[in-house]
Structure formats: structure tokens, C-alpha cells
Amino acid sequence: MEEDMTYSESVQRLQTAVEEMEQDETVNVLLEKANRAVALLRVCREKLSRVDEEVKTILEELQ
């Protein structure tokens, strides 16, 4: 599910999750939201890593 999101969508959902976590919630709800945030961070990190590799490849081809 998360893998299908764009980087911008992932960041937006992550921001929403953080905002929701800042509200008073029960421990179980906070844990659920924290787990969701971690999953979204992984998606963002993976997408950034892929873009970084693509840019490096392009730059190497230019040399």
C-alpha cells in the first residue's frame, strides 16, 4: 500500500500522523500511529534512496 504512494503523499501522511500523535491519545492509539509513521518513514527513505541512485547513475553517464 505505502509503496504505491509518491514521496509527497508519504510525507503528507507522515505529517498528518505526527499531528495526530501530538493530540492526547491512549497508549494503544499512540503506538498504532507511531508504527504507521515508521512505515511511512521507510517508504520515504526508500524512495529517496532510489532517486539518489538514479541521479548518481545519470551523473556517471555524463562523465
Side-chain angles (χ1 to χ4, degrees), residues 6-48:
T6 65
Y7 176 79
S8 296
E9 290 169 332
S10 298
V11 169
Q12 179 61 42
R13 289 189 184 185
L14 179 59
Q15 289 172 336
T16 300
V18 170
E19 289 170 3
E20 290 174 354
M21 288 171 62
E22 291 173 341
Q23 300 172 3
D24 291 330
E25 298 282 350
T26 65
V27 173
N28 289 338
V29 172
L30 285 174
L31 179 60
E32 180 182 315
K33 289 179 180 179
N35 285 331
R36 177 76 174 133
V38 168
L40 289 166
L41 282 169
R42 283 187 186 121
V43 170
C44 290
R45 201 173 288 148
E46 288 172 12
K47 289 184 183 293
L48 286 174

Side-chain angles (χ1 to χ4, degrees), residues 50-62:
R50 274 188 249 137
V51 169
D52 183 52
E53 289 301 316
E54 288 179 27
V55 169
K56 285 178 183 177
T57 301
I58 290 169
L59 291 174
E60 288 174 2
E61 290 174 357
L62 291 174

